[in-house]
Amino acid sequence: MSELKFLTRLIEVSKRRNSMSALREKVSSAIVAVTDIGRARRFYSDTLGLELEEEGMEGVLVYKTGTTHLVVYPSEFAGTNKANAVVWDCGADLDAIAADLVAKGLELEHYDMDGVTYKDGVHEAGGFKMVWFKDPDGNVLHLNSA
């Protein structure tokens, strides 16, 4: 391989590496599929108290969550994910937020895990607290004390 071809190849690889590493500097957003956008609006706006920042085409809802966004959109595949769909780092506010959600009639999930205690809807392991609940479509939403 000639020196020119080698340097050209090296520059191409460097550009690819730099463009991919730039992703770690970008803000990401969670996206959740729902079957009924009206029901989802009531849940995310009223039950969770999120601020609706934008309503897009075909009923897409964009909520502000801290410095990021939660996008809610209609899909026939809503609720098919059995893992966490959205995670909120709540810090010391976790217990109060969990209590507020229960007061609004939300049922908190209980998962049996080794080394984890469960009380009043809150899982705890070594001082780290976790709460899970589902939206009306069964999307798993998670709060933690990070």
Side-chain angles (χ1 to χ4, degrees):
M1 179 182 284
S2 75
E3 187 175 340
L4 179 58
K5 284 184 180 179
F6 174 76
L7 290 174
T8 302
R9 177 76 176 128
L10 187 61
I11 290 169
E12 288 173 5
V13 169
S14 177
K15 283 181 181 177
R16 268 196 308 247
R17 214 177 268 148
N18 287 338
S19 66
M20 289 307 292
S21 65
L23 191 58
R24 69 175 164 240
E25 303 298 324
K26 304 300 181 193
V27 174
S28 64
S29 297
I31 185 165
V32 175
V34 299
T35 55
D36 182 328
I37 203 73
R39 180 178 67 183
R41 177 195 299 270
R42 289 186 298 278
F43 178 79
Y44 287 96
S45 294
D46 300 339
T47 304
L48 298 188
L50 300 182
E51 175 187 341
L52 181 61
E53 189 168 89
E54 179 183 336
E55 186 168 355
M57 298 182 322
E58 299 183 32
V60 173
L61 306 174
V62 180
Y63 289 95
K64 181 159 179 39
T65 58
T67 59
T68 62
H69 294 91
L70 170 61
V71 178
V72 178
Y73 73 102
S75 170
E76 64 183 279
F77 301 108
T80 58
N81 180 10
K82 301 302 177 199
N84 292 333
V86 181
V87 177
W88 282 273
D89 296 336
C90 300
D93 297 330
L94 183 129
D95 290 308
I97 293 169
D100 183 54
L101 293 174
V102 170
K104 290 180 177 180
L106 197 62
E107 183 178 323
L108 303 180
E109 299 292 309
H110 178 199
Y111 300 116
D112 288 322
M113 296 177 277
D114 289 340
V116 177
T117 60
Y118 179 80
K119 181 180 178 193
D120 299 326
V122 179
H123 299 76
E124 186 171 354
F128 185 73
K129 295 182 177 183
M130 304 156 283
V131 170
W132 285 272
F133 57 95
K134 294 180 180 176
D135 77 357
D137 283 290
N139 292 304
V140 180
L141 309 177
H142 173 70
L143 312 176
N144 67 51
S145 61

